[in-house]
Amino acid sequence: MKAIYLDNAATTMIDAEVLSVMHAASLENYGNPSSTHQFGRKAKTAIENVRKNIAGHFNVAASEIIFTSGGTEADNLILHNAVLNLGVQRIITSKIEHHAVLHTCEFLEKSQGIQLDFVDLDAQGNLDLHHLETLLATSDKKTLMSLMLINNEIGNLLPVEEVCHLAIKYHALFHSDTVQTIGHYPLDLQQFSIDFIVASAHKFHGPKGIGFAFFKKGFGVLPMFYGGNQEKGARASTENVAGILGMEKALSIAIQNLEIDRNHILEIKKYFITELNHHFENIHFNGFSADESRSTYTILNVRFPTKNDLLLFSLDMAGIAVSGGSACQSGSNKGSHVLAEILTDEQANETSIRFSFSKYTTKEEIDFTIVKLKELLK
């Protein structure tokens, strides 16, 4: 059976060059970075070089990068720190954020009594900037905005320049879950007033279980858990040396090949949209996922005018891996909270699928997917 992977927003296949770097690190750089002997010093030097290299990609200082186990931990570290350490009393977010943000905000509302406000969205999941400004203007409480640059289910791009302008105008902190952005778009943090971002290596062909948080200089970091002084006291735990080195290699490859990979993936996405429109009637694209100027080139969220609860399963049986929403929902009976927020009841009763692409996706795989969809939806 032909195996086709179209769920790259959930995770990506690790790059062979990354595996090579990690293998060498596991064999040759196995010292504990906290140890003072030569093995430990070698490991410590390696991860500090990586920290400097990663910081350089975003035009920030190495001291502003904190290694974590991934995006979820980084989001939690930032949001908890904002409330418990920086005095944030209110968080403004949206109802289509990743659950790493939504669930953390809800916990902080209950446990710390913060005010939690949600900015309005339109039927495409587009942010209402006027409502956002109204929320910012109507309270003197110290406020943090948490809005993702790229939505992981419908691919919408945040109007980041406008949001940054509002952050400056109303003296609000700005955190963004950039998990779907890092490795796919350039991000110069000297050009944008973003105080906190996060990354997860497995979204750009790196290893799972490693990522980082960016804390703008001047914000102290209160750790979420204790037991060691690693990461300058911000994150207790022996550093994952092989993972950190693998992440840096994956990020370097992604940034070096950014334009080439983008052009290839965008061509794949546009080809898929053309084929879908040609072979199926009355299909719709959720959010702005089919709009090249307003969505990421890596995600397409398609709504078919039929109810087929077994479509995802049937595609899987045919060797095609896709998603009905975020991977965090896999194995549960809950639908996508993103689609539930922006679709009408009638639209939500139709079948939506998220297809997400990578540098390894081919037109032949798209052709095969179209054939199988036609068989299953005839």
Side-chain angles (χ1 to χ4, degrees), residues 92-97 102 117-136 145-151 154-167 174-176 287-288 294 338 341-342:
I92 299 174
T93 188
S94 83
K95 292 186 178 180
I96 61 171
E97 300 298 307
L102 284 178
D117 292 324
F118 294 100
V119 63
D120 290 343
L121 305 165
D122 65 18
Q124 285 74 43
N126 190 43
L127 195 74
D128 185 334
L129 288 169
H130 177 72
H131 183 235
L132 178 60
E133 182 163 15
T134 299
L135 289 173
L136 288 166
M145 295 186 295
S146 183
L147 300 165
M148 63 203 315
L149 289 194
I150 297 175
N151 186 275
I154 55 177
N156 285 15
L157 301 178
L158 184 77
V160 62
E161 292 185 4
E162 291 89 338
V163 173
C164 286
H165 171 74
L166 292 175
F174 181 19
H175 158 250
S176 186
F288 290 122
R294 305 182 77 173
V338 173
E341 185 63 29
I342 66 173

Side-chain angles (χ1 to χ4, degrees), residues 80-378:
H80 278 84
N81 192 77
V83 174
L84 300 177
N85 191 38
L86 302 180
V88 165
Q89 300 171 296
R90 181 175 71 145
I91 296 178
I92 299 174
T93 188
S94 83
K95 292 186 178 180
I96 61 171
E97 300 298 307
H98 192 281
H99 278 150
V101 169
L102 284 178
H103 288 173
T104 305
C105 290
E106 290 164 358
F107 172 79
L108 290 169
E109 180 186 31
K110 293 177 181 178
S111 64
Q112 302 300 321
I114 66 159
Q115 180 179 333
L116 181 59
D117 292 324
F118 294 100
V119 63
D120 290 343
L121 305 165
D122 65 18
Q124 285 74 43
N126 190 43
L127 195 74
D128 185 334
L129 288 169
H130 177 72
H131 183 235
L132 178 60
E133 182 163 15
T134 299
L135 289 173
L136 288 166
T138 53
S139 175
D140 292 329
K141 291 182 177 180
K142 188 170 184 179
T143 297
L144 170 83
M145 295 186 295
S146 183
L147 300 165
M148 63 203 315
L149 289 194
I150 297 175
N151 186 275
N152 59 305
E153 294 196 29
I154 55 177
N156 285 15
L157 301 178
L158 184 77
V160 62
E161 292 185 4
E162 291 89 338
V163 173
C164 286
H165 171 74
L166 292 175
I168 295 170
K169 181 177 179 180
Y170 292 98
H171 308 288
L173 298 176
F174 181 19
H175 158 250
S176 186
D177 183 328
T178 49
V179 163
Q180 295 293 338
T181 306
I182 303 302
H184 302 292
Y185 288 84
L187 185 58
D188 185 339
L189 291 173
Q190 297 304 314
Q191 294 183 2
F192 297 103
S193 183
I194 305 177
D195 300 295
F196 314 97
I197 68 167
V198 307
S200 193
H202 73 101
K203 303 294 187 177
F204 48 86
H205 304 287
K208 295 175 180 63
I210 189 68
F212 67 82
F214 160 76
F215 278 73
K216 184 175 285 186
K217 190 176 294 183
F219 297 133
V221 183
L222 186 72
M224 282 183 58
F225 47 90
Y226 299 86
N229 198 42
Q230 292 88 354
E231 295 300 293
K232 297 181 176 63
R235 200 253 183 187
S237 184
T238 300
E239 293 92 343
N240 176 1
V241 179
I244 290 170
L245 269 61
M247 174 170 63
E248 193 271 335
K249 182 63 176 179
L251 185 58
S252 295
I253 293 171
I255 291 176
Q256 181 180 354
N257 299 313
L258 203 63
E259 186 174 354
I260 295 172
D261 291 343
R262 179 189 182 280
N263 290 340
H264 167 74
I265 299 169
L266 181 57
E267 183 180 354
I268 291 291
K269 179 178 176 178
K270 290 165 71 173
Y271 177 70
F272 193 27
I273 292 171
T274 300
E275 291 297 295
L276 285 168
N277 283 324
H278 176 71
H279 291 285
F280 300 94
E281 295 182 354
N282 300 319
I283 63 168
H284 299 276
F285 300 100
N286 294 319
F288 290 122
S289 65
D291 186 333
E292 183 179 336
S293 65
R294 305 182 77 173
S295 74
T296 178
Y297 55 92
T298 56
I299 294 172
L300 184 67
N301 200 303
V302 187
R303 190 171 79 250
F304 297 92
T306 181
K307 182 66 173 176
N308 188 332
D309 293 330
L310 295 177
L311 185 55
L312 287 178
F313 174 76
S314 300
L315 286 170
D316 185 34
M317 293 299 293
I320 302 169
V322 293
S323 173
S326 69
C328 303
Q329 298 297 102
S330 297
S332 75
N333 292 322
K334 296 180 180 179
S336 160
H337 71 285
V338 173
L339 298 183
E341 185 63 29
I342 66 173
L343 299 182
T344 65
D345 290 342
E346 182 179 354
Q347 291 169 337
N349 198 44
E350 297 174 333
T351 303
S352 291
I353 298 180
R354 181 188 68 180
F355 300 89
S356 47
F357 320 104
S358 82
K359 61 184 180 181
Y360 299 118
T361 309
T362 67
K363 284 187 176 181
E364 289 73 22
E365 291 176 329
I366 297 301
D367 290 337
F368 184 82
T369 301
I370 291 291
V371 169
K372 290 300 176 183
L373 284 170
K374 289 172 66 177
E375 290 177 2
L376 296 168
L377 293 171
K378 61 184 177 181

Side-chain angles (χ1 to χ4, degrees), residues 26-94:
S26 298
L27 293 176
E28 303 164 9
N29 207 344
Y30 52 83
N32 188 322
S34 296
S35 299
T36 57
H37 49 61
Q38 59 179 309
F39 296 93
R41 295 195 305 272
K42 180 181 178 182
K44 182 69 172 178
T45 298
I47 64 173
E48 292 309 318
N49 285 337
V50 165
R51 196 188 311 274
K52 181 180 178 181
N53 292 341
I54 288 177
H57 290 310
F58 304 99
N59 199 12
V60 300
S63 61
E64 296 173 298
I65 300 297
I66 297 171
F67 295 124
T68 67
S69 63
T72 295
E73 183 191 341
D75 281 329
N76 273 263
L77 178 62
I78 290 165
L79 293 169
H80 278 84
N81 192 77
V83 174
L84 300 177
N85 191 38
L86 302 180
V88 165
Q89 300 171 296
R90 181 175 71 145
I91 296 178
I92 299 174
T93 188
S94 83

